[in-house]
Amino acid sequence: MIRFLKAIFIQTVFSLFCLFLLLLYSCDFILGSRMVVTCNGENVPAGGSLQFPDTMVGVDGSSLTITLLNDGIDDLVLTGNGDQTDYILFSGDDPDSFTDDYHNFGTLTLWENESYSIDIIFLPQSPGLKTAALSIPTNRGNYHCTVTGTGLVSQPEIDLFRNYIDAIDSGETLDLGACGIADTLPFLFCIKNTGGIDLHLTGTPVIDLSGSDMSQFSVSDPSLTVIPKNTYTNCTINFTPSSLGPKECVVTIENDDPDEGMFTFTIQSTSNFVNVLNETTSLDALSNPAIAVSLTDVYACYYDIDSTNLMFTRSTDSGSTWPAGNTIIVDAIGNVGLFADMAVSGSRVLISYWDVSNTNLKCAFSTDNGLTWLPGDRITVDDEGIIGMYTSICAKGNDIFIAYYDQEFGGLKLAGSADGGATWPVSQKKTLDTAGDTGLYADMAWNEPYIYLVYYDATNKDLKFLRSTNNGISWENSKIIDAAGETGLYPSIAVNGNFVYISYYDKTDSALRIAISTDYGAGWQEENFRVLVNDGSKHSKLAVSGSSLVAGILHTSYGLKSAVSHDNGFTWLQEERLFIDASYFNNSLFAITASGTNVFVCYTKYKNTRICRSTNEGNAWY
């Protein structure tokens, strides 16, 4: 019995040992090493194939990337062709049509789960179907697959690139951005021959421009009309607008590319501003713009830092043109023109501003629609101390009011004239608010019999508001509109019937806000407050155009844009926010006004004072 059991035991042990050897042999690829080949995420088994796209003879070729993965636990060694100079071997009918991008000068070992990628390149030497056997020798045996591709007859191939980088497709429309009248906006592109033989530009002219606006575009012919393979030539098209509005031009390049022998694309741009002055030397040479409109006459004034003068310009055709002869000096006595504001009453144009040299408030006026500005019509309004900053002026008939900041005593003051600005009696000067350092950034609006005045209280960091219900004869007590945190900076006010709108910057929440009164400024309910934007913009200006409320919004890093509300400021749709000038601003000064459906924005940028116009309530800018 013992012998029998012993025999059974020995036989069982032997059987288990044999089973172990069998399992070890069958799982050797797991316990050892195994190479898995993939291309674009797809497995390429041994004996499979790689298919290349059709490729032109004589060009750079086409490539496929294969990835080699060691799927086992032992090292996988790529042994190459014996002398370790190439890991990938090609043989068969057309080995010279295929190559790889890695040539080894040593061993390549892949550890467990390590992978390595190699580009296989198809370079046909002649037209037709090409086939080769691909082999990868390893310490676990050779991997084999088939590679195939078709070579095409060489031909020229035209490709265009914008700024050498972005491809331009035939039939495409390209937007060049905005440009001022009489400025030049260059568009650089290159023509490259990516084919296998010379590309000939066959048109006359070589670069043909067409379309109704073609006279505002010009082109310099390329230096090459015969372009060898893998070579490019440069072209520049200059857009120099002569009028406001969107412009476009069709560009046609005839050539001997059999597929794109008539390469066309469209370029479009918009002339949406006029540079009314471009002769200064300082980077921030123009500042403190103001703008006003009366029928078809549009007026703008600004401070020229270089000359320290108050400048004025005007357009007589609703802002379409701004002749250089219309730009004149209003005041050059000392350093004058900061904190300017404008108002129009009939043919009388008025400018309130600060005399920096004498720290006084001044007012200049023209009685002939801005044609002449007589020295006797530059009036010192208030000279009691350091006074006259942050001016805001409004006018009805011969009645003029100027709100301004009294830095000497830190208060808000108001001066009045009943004879069109010729005299400013002491009896018509009053202090409206002295509760701390208040009266900064004043803005005023007149809608008979109401006059509204908004300003910043720097002591309490609040937004404050004043109202007269009898055309400025008397004023109600000031109201705090918003006192939540530090708020109320850089306010702007606009009026439309019984609606009064105030935009301002809330520094605590880094947001531009809108406060709305629906009863002529009598009440300011919190539910009528809205966030205009909260993207870091700090400055806004308001204007009523037709049935819309338009807000100009300036972010010094992102640019100047507009927002439009069609329901008295209660909603501001994201899709109705348009960039007027989408680039960096070196200051935060701009002004806005409207007449009917025309909206005008005046701003300073680098060496230019610019005027932009919208003819459709701020829904597009030309």
Side-chain angles (χ1 to χ4, degrees), residues 155-177:
Q155 59 189 26
E157 180 68 32
I158 186 171
D159 283 303
L160 269 65
F161 296 90
R162 183 177 185 175
N163 296 324
Y164 303 102
I165 299 173
D166 300 321
I168 302 173
D169 296 327
S170 186
E172 185 176 0
T173 298
L174 304 174
D175 189 351
L176 307 189

Side-chain angles (χ1 to χ4, degrees), residues 335-402:
N335 186 354
V336 290
L338 282 170
F339 303 110
D341 194 24
M342 296 187 72
V344 182
S345 180
S347 62
R348 188 175 296 259
V349 185
L350 303 106
I351 305 175
S352 60
Y353 58 100
W354 190 43
D355 181 337
V356 182
S357 297
N358 298 300
T359 65
N360 296 336
L361 171 67
K362 296 183 77 173
C363 177
F365 62 88
S366 167
T367 59
D368 55 6
N369 297 302
L371 280 172
T372 57
W373 297 80
L374 301 177
D377 294 337
R378 297 192 298 261
I379 312 297
T380 297
V381 178
D382 196 336
D383 59 1
E384 296 180 1
I386 304 174
I387 202 162
M389 293 179 284
Y390 304 114
T391 75
S392 180
I393 188 170
C394 59
K396 294 288 183 181
N398 286 325
D399 292 328
I400 318 296
F401 289 101
I402 302 176

Side-chain angles (χ1 to χ4, degrees), residues 402-470:
I402 302 176
Y404 54 100
Y405 174 60
D406 181 350
Q407 186 176 345
E408 191 85 9
F409 298 102
L412 173 66
K413 296 191 72 174
L414 184 77
S417 171
D419 54 9
T423 62
W424 299 83
V426 174
S427 60
Q428 294 299 312
K429 298 173 189 172
K430 59 186 72 175
T431 299
L432 297 180
D433 193 341
T434 58
D437 186 11
T438 190
L440 286 79
Y441 316 119
D443 196 24
M444 190 161 42
W446 196 341
N447 185 29
E448 290 187 288
Y450 299 97
I451 303 178
Y452 306 102
L453 181 54
V454 64
Y455 56 99
Y456 177 62
D457 181 341
T459 298
N460 299 297
K461 298 179 173 54
D462 296 337
L463 174 65
K464 300 184 78 173
F465 171 80
L466 279 164
R467 183 180 73 155
S468 170
T469 61
N470 51 14

Side-chain angles (χ1 to χ4, degrees), residues 277-325:
L277 186 66
N278 190 18
E279 300 174 350
T280 58
T281 56
S282 299
L283 184 63
D284 288 317
L286 302 156
S287 61
N288 285 99
I291 192 165
V293 59
S294 176
L295 301 176
T296 60
D297 290 335
V298 188
Y299 311 103
C301 69
Y302 47 88
Y303 172 69
D304 186 332
I305 292 178
D306 280 346
S307 64
T308 66
N309 294 338
L310 175 62
M311 307 295 296
F312 170 84
T313 189
R314 69 189 182 101
S315 167
T316 58
D317 55 7
S318 298
S320 294
T321 60
W322 297 77

Side-chain angles (χ1 to χ4, degrees), residues 240-253:
T240 306
S242 57
S243 61
L244 290 171
K247 316 293 178 187
E248 70 175 33
C249 176
V250 178
V251 183
T252 302
I253 306 172

Side-chain angles (χ1 to χ4, degrees), residues 86-107:
D86 206 340
Y87 293 137
I88 309 295
L89 307 179
F90 298 96
S91 60
D93 295 337
D94 304 292
D96 293 339
S97 294
F98 300 90
T99 186
D100 63 271
D101 70 339
Y102 187 91
H103 299 279
N104 178 43
F105 295 96
T107 60

